[in-house]
């Protein structure tokens, strides 16, 4: 399973007085097994880009290939594009509408023409992936759930299509800290246990630094950086120039370094920084 983007440009309202270039000549490849973080300032083109991957939007110029499917092909959806690439929109719970969780999660598989038995299996799979016990939740109304649970039901609905590749557009937006933490842990589990390739769009450098194996940075419709989290966050000044921050903990370590402490200034997680500080203090004590 792979996605190839070749010289992709996308223009909203092309030819109208309101035309705006949202994606500007992007080329990149994504492979199975990656956990890609997509970051960029508001309006940089992240949502427009991810909607190209399951064919909701089609290139104005260039091409997007999902395995052997060209998304511009008019049979792309028939050829199984949506089963390969699942897209969870921002605020996906706004699209919940059935009276039970089961029916909501079953919506996609039902539309695909799955048998009753297959639907049952897929609903259980989807709910298990997001840590909701099917026995406990299937018959409940989605509208009686907490914000975080609603969002997990919406994600389960996409997972019930059994995609190889799962894209989540700002999945923690608007949740309280506990809801955010739960969703992120579920996403980590979907990647590690269910072996689904992930593309996570996020504003939070903390979340991305913790989970991603690769980061793509968008700026004004271009994919300007594409590297490991360490290499991306080392380019602190470039990121700042694009209105982006580094993880707070890294900022903290940089400031300690400026004050003369010999700490690792590229620590990206609290655990990593903590370990480094312990080591530094030990060395100091031994000296
Ligand atoms: N439906 C639309 N019609 C016209 N312009 C749009 C539309 N959606 C987004 N845009 C414009 O495209 C650019 C990229 O937007 P978007 O992909 O939503 O960025 P992001 O997700 O990074 O915030 C922005 O300039 C935005 O104003
Ligand atoms: Mg967006």
């Amino acid at each position: 399973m792979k996605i190839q983007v070749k010289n992709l440009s996308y223009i909203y309202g092309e030819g109208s007085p309101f035309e705006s270039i949202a994606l500007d000549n992007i080329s990149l490849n994504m492979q199975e097994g990656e956990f890609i973080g997509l970051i960029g300032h508001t309006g940089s083109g992240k949502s427009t880009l991810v909607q190209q991957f399951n064919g909701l939007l089609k290139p104005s110029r260039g091409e997007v290939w999902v395995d052997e499917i060209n998304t511009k092909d008019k049979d792309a959806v028939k050829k199984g594009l949506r089963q390969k690439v699942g897209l969870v929109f921002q605020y996906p719970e706004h699209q919940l509408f059935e009276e039970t969780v089961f029916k909501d999660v079953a919506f996609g598989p039902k539309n695909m023409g799955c048998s009753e038995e297959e639907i049952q299996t897929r609903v259980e799979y989807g709910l298990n992936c997001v840590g909701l016990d099917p026995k406990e939740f299937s018959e409940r109304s989605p509208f009686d759930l907490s914000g975080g649970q609603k969002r997990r039901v919406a994600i389960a609905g996409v997972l019930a299509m059994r995609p190889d590749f799962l894209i989540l557009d700002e999945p923690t937006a608007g949740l309280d800290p506990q809801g955010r933490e739960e969703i992120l842990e579920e996403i980590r589990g979907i990647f590690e246990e269910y072996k689904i390739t992930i593309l996570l769009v996020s504003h939070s450098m903390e979340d991305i630094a913790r989970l991603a194996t690769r980061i793509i940075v968008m700026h004004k419709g271009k994919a300007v950086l594409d590297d490991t989290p360490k290499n991306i966050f080392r380019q602190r000044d470039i990121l700042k120039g694009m209105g982006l921050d580094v993880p707070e903990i890294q900022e903290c370590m940089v400031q300690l370094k400026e004050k003369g402490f010999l700490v690792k200034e590229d620590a990206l997680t609290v655990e990593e920084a903590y370990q480094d500080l312990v080591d530094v203090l030990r060395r100091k004590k031994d000296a």
Side-chain angles (χ1 to χ4, degrees):
M1 160 86 206
K2 63 173 184 291
I3 296 183
Q4 289 174 288
V5 177
K6 297 180 187 165
N7 302 107
L8 165 65
S9 293
Y10 187 78
I11 303 156
Y12 283 104
E14 188 166 17
S16 80
F18 307 105
E19 80 171 27
S20 90
I21 301 176
L23 301 176
D24 186 1
N25 198 18
I26 293 180
S27 295
L28 49 89
N29 292 330
M30 294 181 286
Q31 309 289 341
E32 198 170 320
E34 292 190 297
F35 191 130
I36 301 173
L38 184 64
I39 59 178
H41 201 270
T42 305
S44 59
K46 304 180 297 296
S47 295
T48 306
L49 179 61
V50 298
Q51 289 176 72
Q52 304 279 336
F53 298 145
N54 78 343
L56 271 177
L57 295 178
K58 309 220 164 157
S60 305
R61 313 269 182 283
E63 291 168 0
V64 175
W65 289 82
V66 175
D67 286 336
E68 73 296 345
I69 304 173
N70 182 338
T71 61
K72 263 189 183 165
D73 182 342
K74 60 178 180 349
D75 289 334
V77 171
K78 260 196 224 138
K79 286 181 180 166
L81 182 59
R82 302 266 156 84
Q83 275 95 284
K84 285 176 182 282
V85 181
L87 172 62
V88 179
F89 290 98
Q90 225 175 321
Y91 300 104
E93 63 276 15
H94 293 171
Q95 285 160 27
L96 297 175
F97 69 100
E98 296 279 9
E99 74 244 35
T100 68
V101 166
F102 184 93
K103 283 187 183 167
D104 236 306
V105 179
F107 184 79
K110 210 167 176 176
N111 268 355
M112 277 165 65
C114 294
S115 68
E116 288 301 318
E117 200 186 336
E118 177 68 12
I119 291 173
Q120 179 82 30
T121 310
R122 283 169 175 260
V123 170
E124 285 174 13
Y125 168 81
L127 289 173
N128 282 325
C129 282
V130 296
L132 295 174
D133 180 358
K135 284 200 196 72
E136 189 185 336
F137 284 92
S138 286
E139 292 314 313
R140 288 178 63 178
S141 162
F143 303 100
D144 293 338
L145 305 177
S146 73
Q149 285 171 337
K150 274 188 199 148
R151 197 163 290 183
R152 282 148 77 187
V153 169
I155 297 173
V158 174
L159 287 164
M161 305 285 283
R162 304 217 64 149
D164 304 307
F165 198 96
L166 180 68
I167 301 171
L168 302 119
D169 194 351
E170 312 254 9
T172 59
L175 296 179
D176 60 23
Q178 189 193 338
R180 289 177 51 143
E181 201 49 46
E182 284 171 4
I183 292 270
L184 286 174
E185 274 315 303
E186 297 310 336
I187 295 171
R188 184 206 291 279
I190 291 165
F191 176 66
E192 288 177 358
E193 286 165 44
Y194 292 89
K195 308 288 177 215
I196 295 177
T197 305
I198 305 261
L199 179 81
L200 174 66
V201 179
S202 179
H203 259 93
S204 161
M205 301 303 146
E206 273 67 32
D207 297 350
I208 293 276
R210 201 154 54 130
L211 296 170
T213 57
R214 169 181 169 195
I215 294 179
I216 298 172
V217 182
M218 304 247 336
H219 185 59
K220 297 188 176 164
K222 291 183 192 291
V224 288
L225 300 174
D226 183 349
D227 212 326
T228 60
K230 283 258 187 236
N231 286 341
I232 293 288
F233 289 121
R234 267 189 204 120
Q235 305 178 61
R236 192 161 151 262
D237 294 337
I238 294 178
L239 292 173
K240 291 204 163 164
M242 296 187 290
L244 300 174
D245 291 315
V246 297
E248 271 175 27
I249 189 67
Q250 185 185 359
E251 191 65 46
C252 179
M253 296 295 265
V254 168
Q255 291 187 18
L256 281 172
K257 183 115 188 225
E258 281 166 3
K259 294 210 169 2
F261 295 92
L262 292 175
V263 297
K264 250 165 89 176
E265 61 188 326
D266 63 355
L268 292 183
T269 62
V270 173
E271 293 74 30
E272 192 183 356
Y274 171 77
Q275 199 50 52
D276 185 54
L277 289 172
V278 168
D279 292 346
V280 168
L281 290 173
R282 256 201 209 115
R283 265 183 268 135
K284 213 165 171 192
K285 197 166 144 233
D286 294 342

